[in-house]
Amino acid sequence: MEKHYAVLGDPIQHSLSPGMHNAGYKALGIKAEYHRFRVKPGQLAQAVDGLCALGFSGWNVTIPHKEPIVSLLDSLTSEARRAGAVNTVKIHEGQRIGHNTDGAGFVRSVEAELNGFQAKKAVLLGAGGAAKGIALALAEQGMELHILNRTPEKAKELVQVIQRWGGTATAGEFAPGAWLEDVDLLVQTTSLGLLNESFPFSIQGISKGALVVDIIVNQRETAILREAKGLGCRTQNGLGMLLYQGALAWEFWLGGQAPVEEMSQALKGQFFERLFAKG
Ligand code: NDP
């Protein structure tokens, strides 16, 4: 019997997930189809009931549903409980199980470049939903975190959450500082750059060996990545995180190993098609 999966969000028309997952099913000869549905914030409960009634095997949720969906589920995995948010739901024996693959997806996307996490220093720019998942996953790997956010209270709140889970973290001003000289991994998680706008401060003086990642997925290279490259740092855009959160969702649903190479090719193909279309 054909299985059905989906991604729910608003906006959702630019999601690259259907192409990525469907390419994976094709590569392994799995009878499944991944759909994309626009679900407005007030309609999430109805949409979830609808997917269950239609026999969907699971789905992803993205902005703005990652936190609201929690109250509509029967149980959560430890990753979802820790993040306080869900990006993947599996239907198992009629039960709705919420999981979160964002943080672990990010970890997988940088592990080869970073070559070990223990006692290394990560600086996160931003303290929103994506930053939270990434920060908790990096802290679990043993990284020491420093979090800078425009609204300082939110950075401090995130530091407390990380400490509560046993991690090491501090908060600082959303500005250049001494942290630049001693950073192994810099992660840009704010929404700045989505519209190709410039970043509000320079990262001049950053340690040469740093890996700089911007998790934005609709630009090939944001302003901060351009600057980092010019300063001799290694850089990554947001496609790696998108790929591995999807691969981990696949493995949660279907078991076995996701065909990462084919999913990656499909993701990059769609990404460049879209860049050319934008001109
Ligand atoms: P949130 O709305 O939860 O957080 C937004 C963050 O951006 C906050 O820290 C906010 O700071 C900051 N911010 C927004 N505008 C500005 C500004 N003008 N100046 C400084 N800081 C600003 O969003 P998410 O965390 O869910 O998503 C953030 C980004 O991550 C998006 O671009 C999203 O597309 C991307 N993303 C990528 C993923 C991937 O797989 N690659 C997965 C998930 C998200 P403040 O607290 O002060 O408002």
Side-chain angles (χ1 to χ4, degrees), residues 76-105:
L76 298 179
T77 63
S78 58
E79 289 87 347
R81 255 199 316 279
R82 195 178 51 186
V86 160
N87 78 330
T88 305
V89 176
K90 175 164 79 173
I91 302 299
H92 181 67
E93 294 174 354
Q95 297 287 297
R96 305 163 178 182
I97 306 167
H99 185 38
N100 194 309
T101 65
D102 281 336

Side-chain angles (χ1 to χ4, degrees), residues 62-63 66-67 87 102 105-106 125-134 148-155 174 188-194 197-201 213-218 237-246:
T62 184
I63 290 173
K66 287 186 183 182
E67 290 179 15
N87 78 330
D102 281 336
F106 181 83
L125 306 172
K132 189 175 175 192
I134 292 170
L148 318 177
N149 194 48
R150 176 180 62 177
T151 310
E153 295 73 32
K154 280 180 65 183
F174 190 69
Q188 197 308 102
T189 74
T190 77
S191 33
L192 277 167
L194 268 177
E197 62 270 54
S198 58
F199 200 73
F201 59 82
V213 183
D214 193 326
I215 66 165
I216 280 177
V217 276
N218 71 336
N237 65 21
L239 285 184
M241 176 175 175
L242 185 64
L243 170 65
Y244 286 106
Q245 64 76 33

Side-chain angles (χ1 to χ4, degrees), residues 172-217:
E173 197 189 339
F174 190 69
W179 57 266
L180 280 164
E181 294 155 27
D182 192 21
V183 55
D184 298 296
L185 172 66
L186 176 63
V187 195
Q188 197 308 102
T189 74
T190 77
S191 33
L192 277 167
L194 268 177
L195 305 172
N196 208 14
E197 62 270 54
S198 58
F199 200 73
F201 59 82
S202 164
I203 55 166
Q204 188 118 33
I206 190 166
S207 3
K208 285 270 187 297
L211 171 64
V212 180
V213 183
D214 193 326
I215 66 165
I216 280 177
V217 276

Side-chain angles (χ1 to χ4, degrees), residues 247-267:
L248 291 170
W250 164 300
E251 290 167 10
F252 183 61
W253 289 326
L254 290 159
Q257 279 211 323
V260 172
E261 194 46 50
E262 286 84 354
M263 291 168 81
S264 172
Q265 291 304 328
L267 199 53

